[in-house]
Amino acid sequence: MTPIADFMAWLATLPRWQTFVVIVLASVLVARAVQVGGDAVIRALTTRIEGEVDDVALRTVHPALYVSALLAGAYFARAPLALDAAVDADFAAVVVSALILVWMATLVRLGRRVSKAITAAETTTAERSVVPVFQNVWSAAIIALSAFALLRIWNYDVTPLLASAGILGIILGFAARDTIANFFGSIALYFDGTYKVGDYIVTEDGDRGRVEDVSIRSTTIRTRDDVLVTLPNSSLNAARVINESGPKRERRIRIPVGVAYDSDLDHVEETLLAVAAAESLVLERPSPRVRFREFGDSAIDTELLVWVADPVLRGRATHLLVKAVHAALREADIVIPFPQREVRIVGERPVLAPGGDDAAPTVGADGGTEATGRDVTGAD
């Protein structure tokens, strides 16, 4: 037989009052062991695990454990008393209700303390905004489940309440569908890690700027014109968002330029790389490079590819590099051609004079035909 079976068999041999006393004393000893042993376990664990969340969680749940041990002793101690069936049922319901209330208060307190610990540890606005929402949802769910359990224990019919709650939920869902969509959009953006405060993003609609704030309803970005733009989280969650600050903040920029066909391409490449090396905003690693892309209509299409340390610097770096490239190419006598068209008259068509079909054709002074004629031209 197991030790527990031996203990229960021994209890059966005792008088009822002695059995009651033994059960009560055993529950007190177990509660004390949980209290003392729990403190030792908490001290051992919290020194090994980084952060304050584990410490807060263990210290919040710990008191409820030894209170639960005492309530469990009270629940099992009613058996030796041989109470009336109705009284016994009410006593058991009271003990279980007390146990539910203790854990309800403990879990609600746990959510509040953990959210405070996370908020104190994290510094971003997004986490400071989202964590309290989860804490409120957690508290509401714990209270609702506890109330449902208490009603069931005391034999109350909860079917009408569930039906009313379902109808109310449908009404609120239609009335606040935009708010709910933004709320779940913010949760999705938070867990996906799409962006955070300080990142430089580009939205599908063309809005570009630094993320200033991420709240439950919306995201605020500051554009290059120093204008704050507020965007709903639901639309950002469903749209294409480019985070130019991730995974690294360095960004490459392209400076397109065309050079004449008779240019020395090696000399062109050296000149452009010298311009990139002289610009302080350009990073040395990754190193700048020059790429000749294709034979264009009027020039050889070329790109200078460089990296900058932050997406915000792209505009300024492009401005400085375009000026420097233009000056360097002029100094090196490298022609930047522009599109040209040459028009040639390839023939003349006779035009009938007003006198009739036998009249001689006339030719315009500029070599073309008169008003009723049409030039035949070609362009390359």
Side-chain angles (χ1 to χ4, degrees):
M1 296 179 65
T2 62
I4 297 179
D6 293 339
F7 179 73
M8 298 301 295
W10 176 72
L11 284 179
T13 62
L14 298 178
R16 291 180 177 179
W17 69 271
Q18 293 180 2
T19 303
F20 174 79
V21 171
V22 169
I23 293 175
V24 171
L25 289 177
S27 64
V28 172
L29 291 176
V30 171
R32 181 60 179 172
V34 170
Q35 182 180 12
V36 176
D39 290 337
V41 171
I42 290 175
R43 285 192 297 269
L45 290 178
T46 54
T47 56
R48 298 180 180 180
I49 303 176
E50 297 181 358
E52 298 292 333
V53 176
D54 58 320
D55 190 8
V56 171
L58 291 173
R59 293 190 182 280
T60 303
V61 174
H62 184 209
L65 292 176
Y66 53 82
V67 172
S68 298
L70 292 175
L71 291 175
Y75 181 85
F76 290 108
R78 78 185 196 281
L81 297 179
L83 300 174
D84 182 70
V87 176
D88 183 74
D90 291 340
F91 182 78
V94 169
V95 174
V96 175
S97 299
L99 184 64
I100 292 174
L101 292 175
V102 167
W103 278 102
M104 180 190 71
T106 299
L107 293 177
V108 171
R109 189 182 303 112
L110 174 66
R112 185 171 62 251
R113 290 180 177 178
V114 169
S115 66
K116 288 182 178 179
I118 295 176
T119 304
E122 304 294 344
T123 58
T124 63
T125 306
E127 286 154 346
R128 287 198 298 268
S129 301
V130 173
V131 170
V133 175
F134 286 114
Q135 187 264 321
N136 292 332
V137 173
W138 167 267
S139 299
I142 294 298
I143 293 174
L145 292 175
S146 300
F148 178 79
L150 289 173
L151 292 175
R152 292 291 297 172
I153 289 173
W154 292 98
N155 298 322
Y156 283 97
D157 187 10
V158 297
T159 303
L161 295 177
L162 294 177
S164 301
I167 296 174
L168 180 61
I170 294 173
I171 295 174
L172 292 177
F174 278 106
R177 58 183 180 274
D178 292 337
T179 302
I180 295 175
N182 289 326
F183 170 71
F184 284 104
S186 65
I187 294 177
L189 291 172
Y190 174 75
F191 279 110
D192 291 342
T194 306
Y195 52 78
K196 60 182 181 297
V197 174
D199 287 352
Y200 198 84
I201 65 172
V202 181
T203 67
E204 193 172 25
D205 296 332
D207 295 311
R208 180 193 300 267
R210 187 188 300 275
V211 178
E212 294 289 330
D213 181 51
V214 182
S215 64
I216 298 304
R217 189 188 68 84
S218 61
T219 296
T220 302
I221 65 174
R222 184 181 298 273
T223 66
R224 295 301 304 275
D225 297 327
D226 203 23
V227 176
L228 294 178
V229 178
T230 301
L231 304 172
N233 287 332
S234 58
S235 62
L236 290 175
N237 184 45
R240 179 172 177 264
V241 178
I242 301 175
N243 188 349
E244 295 191 342
S245 298
K248 297 181 179 179
R249 300 194 69 87
E250 295 84 358
R251 277 296 170 267
R252 188 169 70 174
I253 60 178
R254 303 169 181 263
I255 308 297
V257 60
V259 297
Y261 276 96
D262 58 354
S263 302
D264 183 352
L265 298 186
D266 292 333
H267 184 44
V268 171
E269 184 174 4
E270 293 174 1
T271 302
L272 294 179
L273 291 177
V275 170
E279 176 53 53
S280 61
L281 295 180
V282 174
L283 298 177
E284 295 182 0
R285 292 288 183 272
S287 59
R289 62 193 65 181
V290 175
R291 292 292 181 264
F292 299 103
R293 296 304 184 188
E294 61 181 354
F295 296 100
D297 292 338
S298 304
I300 298 178
D301 295 334
T302 309
E303 280 188 336
L304 172 62
L305 308 176
V306 300
W307 291 79
V308 293
D310 194 279
V312 179
L313 301 175
R314 293 177 64 177
R316 181 183 176 190
T318 301
H319 166 76
L320 295 175
L321 286 172
V322 168
K323 290 177 59 178
V325 166
H326 182 263
L329 293 181
R330 290 187 62 181
E331 184 178 354
D333 292 329
I334 299 174
V335 178
I336 305 176
F338 54 88
Q340 303 181 46
R341 293 293 183 267
E342 182 178 349
V343 179
R344 299 179 181 177
I345 299 175
V346 298
E348 298 176 353
R349 187 175 63 181
V351 179
L352 297 179
D357 294 341
D358 297 334
T362 60
V363 180
D366 58 354
T369 59
E370 288 291 350
T372 55
R374 185 176 61 181
D375 289 343
V376 181
T377 61
D380 55 3

